[in-house]
Amino acid sequence: MDLPRIFTIRESSHRLHNPITPGKLAALGQALHLEPGTRVLDLASGSGELLCTWARDHGVTGTGVDISTVFTEKARARAAELGVADRVTFVHDDAVGFVADEPVDVAACVGATWIGDGVAGTVELLGESLRPGGLTLIGEPYWRREVPDRETAEACHARDKDDFLVLPELIEQFGGLGYDVVEMVLADQDSWDRYQAAQWLNLRRWLDRNPGDELADEVRAELTTAPAHYARYQREYLGWGVFALMRR
């Protein structure tokens, strides 16, 4: 049970595995008015930056669950680096279907709603771990503007243009699920640049060190096409945000 190697190669230098910057992550923590002792469950927690920095800055406690052995070890190392290893725990496990042993104050899935087969299923899954009155955090893509065709949608890693919604419709979807949107922090194009462009440097440095690896041809092909592909499609059409929800 693990992520394919290409994912960990591509994002080897990343502390955040989505287009939220450290500043925006900090702003979100401040906006939520987190109190010391707030219990957080973070499903698909990646390298643990949300839990670790919020434990340092706000005194939260919690558990992160991720399928990647590489990212889980990075998360544990980050917790030790920031002096919060006694407050946060990282578990190598499949986040699909994961429910906390005890209700938490904040249940998060920031950028991996595939664990619930989409937004609705992920919101439902997180709700199984959440105390009454708690906060749900969902990170999800949306269209910055209407997508002209299926080719553009597929270039943005969607099966078709109905896979994602434009921002107002995404917010309305949360309402239709019975939740109020009480905060949001949105990526901008610079956030996307920092997330995506950093991958190209990771790929190139890995390729220079590992020219004979079985993945070398795949990495070379991606590095050759990814920058222009990103500039032509994802940068122009794909948005992303973290949305804080409370059940009505």
Side-chain angles (χ1 to χ4, degrees), residues 82 151 214:
L82 297 185
E151 176 188 1
E214 63 182 0

Side-chain angles (χ1 to χ4, degrees), residues 22-24 30 32 50 65 72 83 86 90 100 107 140 158 163 166 168 173 193 198 201-202 214 217 222:
K24 288 181 181 288
Q30 293 168 358
L32 296 178
L50 182 151
V65 181
T72 300
D86 59 333
F90 293 98
E140 180 68 4
D163 263 12
V166 293
Q173 181 184 19
D193 293 347
L201 184 58
N202 291 338
E214 63 182 0
D217 289 345
E222 180 173 337

Side-chain angles (χ1 to χ4, degrees), residues 190-209:
D190 183 64
S191 309
W192 273 107
D193 293 347
R194 299 282 37 82
Y195 173 57
Q196 291 282 355
Q199 296 178 14
W200 310 333
L201 184 58
N202 291 338
L203 292 171
R204 176 53 195 267
R205 286 181 168 166
W206 180 90
L207 190 61
D208 287 347
R209 292 192 301 266

Side-chain angles (χ1 to χ4, degrees), residues 230-243:
Y230 163 70
R232 179 170 290 115
Y233 296 108
Q234 290 170 258
R235 194 176 196 273
E236 295 303 311
Y237 288 97
L238 197 58
W240 191 87
V242 185
F243 303 87

Side-chain angles (χ1 to χ4, degrees), residues 5-243:
R5 284 177 64 215
I6 188 64
F7 285 90
T8 55
I9 293 169
R10 188 184 292 125
E11 301 193 12
S12 58
S13 71
H14 289 50
R15 285 179 173 167
L16 292 162
H17 302 285
N18 50 62
I20 191 171
T21 61
K24 288 181 181 288
L25 181 63
L28 177 62
Q30 293 168 358
L32 296 178
H33 306 291
L34 299 168
E35 298 181 354
T38 296
R39 295 163 298 169
V40 181
L41 174 67
D42 188 9
L43 296 185
S45 52
S47 295
E49 194 73 356
L50 182 151
L51 272 175
C52 289
T53 57
W54 286 5
R56 177 195 64 192
D57 298 340
H58 304 287
V60 308
T61 64
T63 300
V65 181
D66 200 272
I67 199 171
S68 169
T69 54
V70 172
F71 293 159
T72 300
E73 286 306 311
K74 288 180 66 175
R76 291 167 179 162
R78 184 63 166 157
E81 177 187 2
L82 297 185
V84 297
D86 59 333
R87 280 177 266 168
V88 294
T89 301
F90 293 98
V91 178
H92 173 237
D93 201 353
D94 191 345
V96 176
F98 190 97
V99 177
D101 293 336
E102 297 180 0
V104 299
D105 303 304
V106 179
C109 177
V110 180
T113 55
W114 53 264
I115 69 169
D117 197 27
V119 169
T122 302
V123 169
E124 181 179 1
L125 173 62
L126 293 173
E128 295 183 39
S129 296
L130 196 65
R131 69 163 176 80
L135 283 168
T136 298
L137 298 182
I138 292 285
E140 180 68 4
Y142 59 87
W143 297 126
R144 296 181 64 237
R145 62 177 188 265
E146 294 290 345
V147 175
D149 49 42
R150 184 168 184 169
E151 176 188 1
T152 301
E154 290 177 348
C156 296
H157 306 295
R159 290 166 295 185
D160 57 51
K161 56 186 180 180
D162 294 331
D163 263 12
F164 305 138
L165 303 172
V166 293
L167 181 59
E169 293 174 356
L170 177 57
I171 291 174
E172 289 170 349
Q173 181 184 19
F174 294 134
L177 295 172
Y179 285 78
D180 291 318
V181 176
V182 297
E183 257 296 354
M184 68 180 187
V185 173
L186 305 181
D188 53 25
Q189 286 178 308
D190 183 64
S191 309
W192 273 107
D193 293 347
R194 299 282 37 82
Y195 173 57
Q196 291 282 355
Q199 296 178 14
W200 310 333
L201 184 58
N202 291 338
L203 292 171
R204 176 53 195 267
R205 286 181 168 166
W206 180 90
L207 190 61
D208 287 347
R209 292 192 301 266
N210 301 277
D213 191 276
E214 63 182 0
L215 290 179
D217 289 345
E218 179 179 350
V219 170
R220 167 39 62 197
E222 180 173 337
L223 184 57
T224 299
T225 60
H229 186 91
Y230 163 70
R232 179 170 290 115
Y233 296 108
Q234 290 170 258
R235 194 176 196 273
E236 295 303 311
Y237 288 97
L238 197 58
W240 191 87
V242 185
F243 303 87

